[in-house]
């Protein structure tokens, strides 16, 4: 697998907690989208670590095409 699988054609709006570590799925194969469940094992993909200093809503990429990694940049609008 050289390209990530598109998990969905729109982003995930997730409430994140201050100081908690999240690992965003970069391969698109995780059953726990948008977060990693280890399905990338044996591939070139590596999950992206995400930590915030406040409780807030975050828009995580669902199409796996964002140039901002875990954060949606609207790339799904061009698919």
């Amino acid at each position: 697998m050289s390209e990530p699988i598109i998990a969905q054609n729109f982003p995930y709006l997730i409430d994140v907690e201050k100081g908690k570590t999240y690992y965003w799925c970069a391969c698109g194969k995780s059953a726990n989208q948008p977060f990693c469940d280890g399905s990338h094992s044996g591939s070139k993909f590596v999950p992206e670590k995400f930590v915030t200093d406040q409780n807030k809503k975050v828009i995580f990429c669902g199409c796996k095409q964002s140039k901002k990694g875990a954060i949606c940049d609207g790339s799904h609008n061009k698919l």
Side-chain angles (χ1 to χ4, degrees):
M1 179 170 76
S2 59
E3 295 295 320
I5 293 170
I6 297 171
Q8 65 181 28
N9 287 328
F10 52 94
Y12 295 89
L13 181 61
I14 306 287
D15 289 311
V16 296
E17 298 175 28
K18 175 183 177 180
K20 185 175 177 182
T21 302
Y22 300 87
Y23 289 93
W24 173 75
C25 169
C27 72
K29 292 171 60 176
S30 174
N32 190 35
Q33 292 293 333
F35 304 115
C36 178
D37 69 0
S39 294
H40 66 279
S41 184
S43 74
K44 70 173 187 171
F45 296 99
V46 177
E48 183 174 315
K49 182 178 179 180
F50 180 86
V51 181
T52 185
D53 60 355
Q54 57 185 305
N55 294 333
K56 63 181 182 178
K57 291 187 184 293
V58 174
I59 301 173
F60 287 99
C61 175
C63 72
K64 312 303 178 184
Q65 308 299 310
S66 176
K67 303 297 185 259
K68 294 183 178 181
I71 305 304
C72 177
D73 69 356
S75 290
H76 59 277
N77 292 317
K78 299 173 189 166
L79 298 177

